[in-house]
Amino acid sequence: MVKRVLVTGSSRGIGKAVALKLASSGYDIAVHCRGGREAAEQVKDEIQAMGREAVVLQFDVADRQAAKDIIEADMEANGVYFGVVCNAGITRDNAFPAMTDDEWDSVIHTNLDGLYNVLKPIIMPLVRARKGGRIVTMSSISGLAGNRGQANYSATKAAITGVTKTLALELGKRGITVNCVAPGVIETDMIDDVFEKEIKAMIPLRRFGKAEEVANLVDFLVSDGAAYITRQVISVNGGML
Ligand code: NDP
């Protein structure tokens, strides 16, 4: 039976590249978006054109009930996931003294609560399926090193590494690996290139990364070849750290 993987935030950017790469490796995919339904449907069409199954799930990861209801309905209709890539995330940057309550709260609710809201309904069915599994979370160089203007974001991205390591400990004996990918600066909608020159100067490889270069690592972590890798935080950052 073909293994299914849910990729949150796969309507565009890194998540889209991950969904397409995993589909090309032979997985069926649950594509996911919040508002970008049309883009998500296009990703679904591309996956189906590769001969793989795909569905689109649409919910705000910060909405616990919606996440539970929609994920449970999808698992009921199409089967339990073998893997989940928790990729959906946002930034709301501001220097800490100027940061608004809403900027703080929305990033915590989306990036951190969103991880809990997605994983909670998935993990027990994954354990009960007794077939092992793969969980990949998405941190950031900002979570490892901090970054000016990103106190909210870096808090969530550091927390995600902690959740990852704890779940790896809890789920290891079930053959479920849990790893975290920490990208540097990747060319997507999230990046504004105001300081492009200055940022590139801090990157030993002297360029931004491509979403596909993050997807290659996620694809490997989901593969059988990565069965003995768990509890790791792996960077894709051109040598920035
Ligand atoms: P994009 O902004 O390009 O895409 C974000 C994706 O997440 C979209 O699919 C979006 O859906 C979805 N999403 C955002 N908020 C929500 C929400 N509340 N509920 C459900 N889905 C949501 O981001 P990137 O591809 O750049 O980033 C992907 C991940 O990688 C993030 O976790 C980010 O923190 C991390 N990362 C990115 C880096 C970069 O340089 N780009 C660097 C380090 C880490 P929709 O289209 O419907 O809005």
Side-chain angles (χ1 to χ4, degrees):
M1 207 167 116
V2 174
K3 293 170 174 169
R4 299 182 73 220
V5 181
L6 166 64
V7 185
T8 68
S10 44
S11 50
R12 54 199 167 89
I14 294 170
K16 174 181 176 179
V18 168
L20 294 176
K21 179 70 184 177
L22 289 172
S24 76
S25 295
Y27 301 93
D28 290 341
I29 305 293
V31 178
H32 164 261
C33 65
R34 175 185 46 184
R37 180 86 197 198
E38 209 173 302
E41 292 288 344
Q42 279 171 20
V43 176
K44 180 182 98 171
D45 292 347
E46 275 190 62
I47 291 170
Q48 287 175 338
M50 293 178 200
R52 297 265 53 93
E53 299 287 334
V55 293
V56 173
L57 310 185
Q58 182 171 11
F59 59 87
D60 183 341
V61 292
D63 183 339
R64 186 162 299 159
Q65 195 61 46
K68 181 177 190 295
D69 292 346
I70 292 170
I71 287 170
E72 286 181 350
D74 180 52
M75 291 192 299
E76 178 78 28
N78 301 305
V80 171
Y81 311 112
F82 168 74
V84 50
V85 182
C86 294
N87 163 79
I90 58 166
T91 51
R92 293 281 184 276
D93 296 357
N94 214 338
F96 191 74
M99 187 168 282
T100 65
D101 292 350
D102 184 58
E103 285 165 345
W104 178 267
D105 291 342
S106 59
V107 171
I108 304 289
H109 290 147
T110 301
N111 296 5
L112 185 54
D113 296 343
L115 181 77
Y116 173 84
N117 297 341
V118 167
L119 288 179
K120 199 70 202 301
I122 290 173
I123 284 184
M124 271 324 289
L126 183 60
V127 167
R128 280 196 209 101
R130 294 177 181 277
K131 288 181 181 159
R134 297 282 185 270
I135 297 171
V136 180
T137 60
M138 202 58 74
S139 180
S140 162
I141 191 167
S142 179
L144 307 182
N147 193 21
R148 276 171 215 277
Q150 293 196 318
N152 50 359
Y153 181 76
S154 63
T156 63
K157 293 300 182 179
I160 286 169
T161 68
V163 178
T164 305
K165 291 173 186 178
T166 297
L167 289 179
L169 291 170
E170 292 185 1
L171 299 172
K173 61 176 179 291
R174 314 287 188 168
I176 299 167
T177 68
V178 192
N179 291 293
C180 182
V181 172
V185 185
I186 309 298
E187 279 168 1
T188 69
D189 296 344
M190 195 176 264
I191 296 308
D192 76 53
D193 48 13
V194 182
F195 298 110
E196 186 172 338
K197 251 195 177 152
E198 291 86 335
I199 295 171
K200 282 185 178 161
M202 298 184 325
I203 304 172
L205 288 179
R206 291 289 184 269
R207 64 173 178 86
F208 295 157
K210 297 181 186 355
E212 291 72 20
E213 291 171 319
V214 180
N216 289 340
L217 173 60
V218 176
D219 181 56
F220 174 64
L221 290 172
V222 173
S223 74
D224 291 344
Y228 202 57
I229 300 173
T230 195
R231 204 182 169 189
Q232 302 306 304
V233 179
I234 305 175
S235 290
V236 184
N237 63 19
M240 266 181 108
L241 192 67

